[in-house]
Amino acid sequence: MTQQARAWLTGARSVCVLTGAGISAESGVPTFRGAGGLWREYRAEDLATPAAFRRDPKLVWEWYDWRRGLVRAARPNAGHEALAEFERRRPEGFTLVTQNVDGLHERAGSLRVHRLHGSLWIVRCTGCGNESWDERVPLPGLPPRCDACGGMLRPGVVWFGEVLPEDALDAAVAAASVCEVMVVAGTSAVVYPAAALVPLAKRAGARVIEVNVEETPASGLADVSLRGASGTVLPLILL
Ligand code: OAD
């Protein structure tokens, strides 16, 4: 099955890859769901919402500050690196779409990453709307404050119920609609609209290759399901 996936990827004129938290698991960044998905006693769905932030901004920031610390200490793994190398070898006809906010694709050398859910390193003022890149770990004082107006800052990520950045979503939909092969790696494929990219590609005629340690709702759509860690499987099929 690995050989089949590899052959499809080699022959395809356009490839779209959708990644999720599982691709960073081998870098030591916990996924949201499944084993190790909890932070204290909270689930991601209880913290990553505008309502949770209104209720307890300090708690939500503590979670993000913790994740920022983990990610800062982490390094990209062989899965991220294989994707960066794939892009270097064939910059045309390749689109990388990620739900991850950790920036590990970029640190591995991926040049064009369409981030559907924002970034852990962006902070946005809830008062004046000012957005900036902030890599301080830990942040001095939680919740952090805006230098410009003193308003409360929020993480520059997309929360449940919020709209995705239009440019990233448009690029993702466009790529999914025309790709000959879609690789879906390390995502539970339960969070929309990202998960809808898989049936979209499938309907448009793409071959779908899933890389995951477990079965997911996307498995039923996959032409090939490769059960294994993305750090092992992606180099085998991409390089
Ligand atoms: P999840 O935590 O929901 O799913 C992680 C997936 O990775 C699971 O299907 C695991 O089986 C798989 N996995 C774990 N380790 C793996 C490995 N080494 N190799 C391959 N697969 C592995 O993460 P996402 O699908 O990314 O949204 O979650 C989607 C969104 O939900 C996130 O972007 C985040 C979250 O709430 C926001 O923050 C808006």
Side-chain angles (χ1 to χ4, degrees):
M1 285 210 292
T2 306
Q3 287 310 318
Q4 177 64 84
R6 213 181 132 77
W8 285 341
L9 282 160
T10 310
R13 272 169 305 176
S14 68
V15 173
C16 178
V17 178
L18 171 67
T19 65
I23 196 176
S24 298
E26 289 154 90
S27 296
V29 182
T31 57
F32 296 96
R33 296 171 188 80
L38 284 182
W39 173 74
R40 301 188 192 162
E41 70 270 32
Y42 302 96
R43 297 178 310 142
E45 289 86 343
D46 301 331
L47 294 163
T49 69
F53 189 69
R54 275 195 301 274
R55 199 162 48 236
D56 195 344
K58 186 160 185 288
L59 175 75
V60 172
W61 261 117
E62 279 169 2
W63 182 50
Y64 281 101
D65 208 36
W66 172 73
R67 289 191 73 86
R68 286 162 58 104
L70 281 175
V71 167
R72 163 67 69 77
R75 301 169 69 87
N77 64 55
H80 299 107
E81 280 157 10
L83 284 164
E85 178 59 23
F86 191 75
E87 182 187 16
R88 268 193 292 278
R89 291 184 186 178
R90 45 166 306 164
E92 297 305 315
F94 174 66
T95 306
L96 176 56
V97 180
T98 190
Q99 298 166 85
N100 297 350
V101 294
D102 58 27
L104 288 175
H105 282 306
E106 291 87 339
R107 278 170 57 196
S110 285
L111 298 175
R112 283 172 303 137
V113 185
H114 300 286
R115 291 193 298 252
L116 293 179
H117 293 163
S119 167
L120 273 180
W121 307 109
I122 294 173
V123 293
R124 188 163 70 245
C125 181
T126 56
C128 67
N130 188 42
E131 225 175 60
S132 60
W133 194 263
D134 188 334
E135 294 191 3
R136 289 173 300 170
V137 172
L139 283 161
L142 298 179
R145 296 276 162 187
C146 174
D147 286 341
C149 77
M152 195 192 295
L153 295 175
R154 60 159 283 175
V157 300
V158 177
W159 283 330
F160 289 102
E162 292 185 323
V163 219
L164 273 58
E166 202 178 312
D167 49 350
L169 186 59
D170 287 352
V173 168
S177 311
V178 300
C179 66
E180 291 175 9
V181 176
M182 170 173 269
V183 178
V184 190
T187 175
S188 57
V190 294
V191 173
Y192 284 79
L197 294 169
V198 186
L200 176 63
K202 182 75 185 172
R203 275 198 308 276
R207 309 255 198 208
V208 175
I209 302 167
E210 184 184 49
V211 179
N212 200 304
V213 291
E214 288 174 4
E215 192 171 321
T216 75
S219 306
L221 292 173
D223 295 280
V224 161
S225 282
L226 301 170
R227 288 281 159 263
S230 46
T232 305
V233 177
L234 287 177
L236 291 176
I237 62 172
L238 292 170
L239 304 180

